[in-house]
Amino acid sequence: MDTIFYNGRVHTMAGRTVSALAVQGARIAMVGSDEAVLALADENTRRIDLQGRCVLPGFVDTHMHLLLTGEGFRRLDLRGVRSPEEIVARGRDYVASHELAQDEWIIGYGFDQNIFDPPVLPDGAVAEAISSDHPVVLDRVCGHVGAGNAKALALAGYDETTVIPGGELDKDAGGKLTGVVREAALDQLKKASPRLTQERVEFLLEDVGARMAAVGLTGVHSDDLAAEGTDWPTLKAAFDALEARNAVPLRLWEEWETPRPDNLRAEILSQPLRSFQGSDWLKVGNVKLIADGSLGARTALLREDYSDDPGNRGIAVYTQAEMDEMVALCHDNDLQVACHAIGDGATASFLAAVEKAQARDPKPLCHRVVHCQFGDRTLYEKMAALGMGADVQPAFSPSDAPLTPSRMGERTGESYAWKTLLDLGVVVGGGSDCPVEDFAPLWGIHCAVNRPRSHEDDTPFLPDQALTVEEAVSLYTVNAARLVHAEAHLGTLEAGKLADLVVLAEDLFTADPKTIKDIPVDLTMAGGRVTHQR
């Protein structure tokens, strides 16, 4: 054997707990007792005495933005700002402290106007006050509403006559653009910025991949082929280069974001790979559709008005006919769909399209709702009947719970219904949507189990929907594998499966649930190779 772990608590997530595990090459050779596993060792075997520590299958984040997260460590950071004036101050400091190339884009990310007093969206004037020499984009924490200065709007080709399907460009009383852009209009604005090069993609994969391995991640389902990301040939070339020097930090199932049928045909259907095809490290994942916006921006599509904004039901990015067409194109071409749907109106529209596609041509595709924050039992039962999945973000609980009662009123009681979804048989995966939330899986597991009401108040929010520790861990292991049809190779610790695992300093199954988020990650292994060791 290459490596043997012994004298520990190896939670296989396959119905048993053992004390030892052996790794040969990229795969698990045996799990069992210390005596049986250690008998496989020779003088070249690396023996790791766990000293009672906990071993779990490697964590997989089922929805995030990997490259955007990496870029976020170097961009204008707007998280925690309390006013438009503070945005301007941070922006000017950023310009003064960075040697920016001529016409280099300044992209600021992470503001939340709900903590401003008054809670007004920053507009184009705020972006202009940072710089008029560079294109400036201010991106809200949700990524669904933002603002651009005059130079950015011009590069995107925007003027008062511009119409973007599925998006909005705000205008003042005189009909002039304010610089505020929403949904597809924001995506189009960001798409005008330069795409990432292969060299940059390789750097980001190694850099942010190491950070993610340090919190126990061995794989991610990521949306990087989007407005400000890269393209498939560049991403694949970067992975090929990393694989050639055995430097890939984690597995990637790449989501392919596409806004319209023309994009889908030109960018995805024209290439030969379909969902879950590729190398051991990089595979095509889902086609990503965005059906609505976010709760914080009041652009999530609801079936009834926002309780605190009568007359507003959010933004529908697609008509029902358009949604039906997009889902049918993907389904008929063996491409699994992951649809961003926060509001119950968006979820209902997506489910109707999936139901039509499956009725016409039944396939074992686990089309899934990304976020799935608001709905009701009828919608959730339909998801289960259609064999669908849900990508939930447990860390949204402390971030969104303070807003939800005012936005949703009595409908709050059926929101963030993770327990109901699991009980009904929906395949539920756990993600972070980072950079929106912290990508540490133990923070997500903590939120799934404890459901803190806010980042300052740890009393439970809708405690009936709290998960057990085992259920919460399954979101990032067993179910993460099921969502991409990889359960034959990943998700549990069993002989023959890939050696993707994480060693924790404490056993989270016996620890105080309130301390789960603080348990150190001692070691992470992906494909038999140690990617992090504390």
Side-chain angles (χ1 to χ4, degrees):
M1 296 296 106
D2 292 326
T3 306
I4 285 177
F5 299 89
Y6 68 99
N7 187 29
R9 298 276 297 168
V10 180
H11 297 285
T12 65
M13 296 300 292
R16 66 176 181 145
T17 297
V18 297
S19 61
L21 176 149
V23 175
Q24 179 66 38
R27 294 189 177 264
I28 298 169
M30 183 181 188
V31 293
S33 66
D34 287 352
E35 181 181 15
V37 172
L38 284 169
L40 302 177
D42 62 20
E43 66 274 10
N44 297 315
T45 301
R46 180 187 184 192
R47 299 169 176 83
I48 297 178
D49 184 353
L50 295 167
Q51 299 178 327
R53 290 175 295 174
C54 166
V55 181
L56 288 167
F59 296 131
V60 175
D61 186 308
T62 61
H63 179 68
M64 66 151 59
H65 307 268
L66 178 68
L67 298 180
L68 182 58
T69 298
E71 286 285 82
F73 290 114
R74 292 152 188 89
R75 286 180 171 175
L76 170 58
D77 185 1
L78 300 180
R79 289 170 293 185
V81 295
R82 310 290 299 190
S83 67
E85 292 76 18
E86 189 174 350
I87 290 177
V88 174
R90 282 203 196 180
R92 289 176 174 173
D93 286 345
Y94 179 87
V95 173
S97 61
H98 288 71
E99 295 182 4
L100 299 175
Q102 185 178 5
D103 291 334
E104 182 174 341
W105 285 63
I106 299 169
I107 299 179
Y109 168 78
F111 75 84
D112 181 0
Q113 85 285 357
N114 292 302
I115 63 175
F116 296 1
D117 185 17
V120 294
L121 282 169
D123 59 12
V126 175
E128 197 75 31
I130 292 172
S131 176
S132 58
D133 296 328
H134 296 271
V136 178
V137 176
L138 308 176
D139 197 0
R140 191 183 180 277
V141 66
C142 63
H144 289 265
V145 64
N149 69 353
K151 197 158 193 173
L153 296 179
L155 288 169
Y158 288 173
D159 60 27
E160 283 72 18
T161 66
T162 302
V163 176
I164 302 293
E168 293 181 0
L169 289 82
D170 287 13
K171 298 178 182 178
D172 62 20
K176 299 295 184 182
L177 296 181
T178 68
V180 173
V181 288
R182 304 171 190 267
E183 300 306 331
L186 176 59
D187 289 340
Q188 193 74 11
L189 177 62
K190 290 187 285 191
K191 191 173 284 188
S193 66
R195 307 287 272 180
L196 297 174
T197 64
Q198 179 183 333
E199 181 182 21
R200 185 66 172 173
V201 171
E202 286 184 46
F203 167 75
L204 292 172
L205 288 171
E206 288 196 271
D207 179 69
V208 77
R211 297 172 190 258
M212 292 180 175
V215 297
L217 284 166
T218 58
V220 297
H221 305 177
S222 184
D223 174 8
D224 302 300
L225 308 181
E228 53 184 321
T230 189
D231 54 40
W232 176 257
T234 302
L235 181 68
K236 186 177 184 304
F239 255 84
D240 288 345
L242 292 176
E243 286 189 51
R245 61 178 191 266
N246 199 29
V248 181
L250 38 68
R251 303 184 197 281
L252 175 60
W253 290 265
E254 184 57 53
E255 291 187 345
W256 212 311
E257 187 177 315
T258 181
R260 296 287 150 185
D262 288 347
N263 304 99
L264 179 59
R265 292 187 179 97
E267 298 172 15
I268 306 175
L269 299 184
S270 61
Q271 58 85 39
L273 294 179
R274 294 298 181 254
S275 290
F276 322 123
Q277 295 178 345
S279 72
D280 282 345
W281 294 98
L282 173 65
K283 295 183 186 295
V284 173
N286 309 290
V287 171
K288 171 80 175 296
L289 306 182
I290 298 180
D292 68 349
S294 71
L295 177 70
R298 292 192 186 89
T299 54
L301 182 64
L302 305 180
R303 291 182 290 187
E304 298 178 8
D305 294 357
Y306 281 88
S307 297
D308 60 356
D309 192 10
N312 179 21
R313 295 190 177 185
I315 292 179
V317 177
Y318 297 104
T319 65
Q320 188 61 56
E322 290 169 337
M323 176 67 80
D324 292 347
E325 181 183 9
M326 292 294 284
V327 171
L329 275 170
C330 294
H331 185 86
D332 293 347
N333 285 279
D334 297 321
L335 289 163
Q336 190 165 282
V337 181
C339 182
H340 168 110
I342 287 180
D344 55 358
T347 297
S349 175
F350 178 50
L351 265 58
V354 171
E355 188 172 33
K356 292 170 189 173
Q358 288 285 23
R360 186 186 69 258
D361 184 13
K363 290 184 177 181
L365 292 170
C366 188
H367 300 304
R368 63 213 224 198
V369 180
V370 180
H371 305 311
C372 200
Q373 288 173 238
F374 302 104
D376 57 30
R377 191 174 182 88
T378 300
L379 287 177
Y380 304 146
E381 288 175 344
K382 181 176 282 190
M383 289 174 64
L386 290 169
M388 293 179 66
D391 283 320
V392 304
Q393 288 66 48
F396 279 9
S397 169
S399 295
D400 286 358
L403 286 175
T404 303
S406 63
R407 295 280 197 274
M408 302 299 292
E410 294 181 357
R411 293 166 289 180
T412 298
E414 291 189 292
S415 61
Y416 307 89
W418 312 326
K419 182 73 170 177
T420 298
L421 288 164
L422 279 175
D423 288 347
L424 288 172
V426 176
V427 184
V428 182
S432 63
D433 201 16
C434 79
V436 178
E437 300 289 349
D438 188 335
F439 55 71
L442 289 175
W443 169 241
I445 292 169
H446 170 91
C447 291
V449 172
N450 297 295
R451 292 183 69 100
R453 188 172 298 274
S454 74
H455 290 280
E456 293 76 35
D457 180 359
D458 63 0
T459 58
F461 171 63
L462 302 176
D464 289 349
Q465 293 294 337
L467 305 186
T468 66
V469 173
E470 183 169 4
E471 288 171 334
V473 171
S474 74
L475 304 187
Y476 298 87
T477 55
V478 179
N479 290 357
R482 290 179 63 195
L483 283 171
V484 289
H485 305 269
E487 53 266 61
H489 303 283
L490 294 165
T492 60
L493 299 177
E494 299 177 90
K497 291 196 172 184
L498 288 164
D500 290 13
L501 57 86
V502 58
V503 178
L504 305 180
E506 300 175 43
D507 188 345
L508 78 175
F509 285 95
T510 57
D512 179 347
K514 297 289 186 183
T515 69
I516 287 174
K517 66 183 187 301
D518 301 316
I519 296 175
V521 174
D522 280 355
L523 183 145
T524 307
M525 174 178 280
R529 179 167 56 86
V530 174
T531 54
H532 163 74
Q533 187 158 7
R534 188 167 72 99

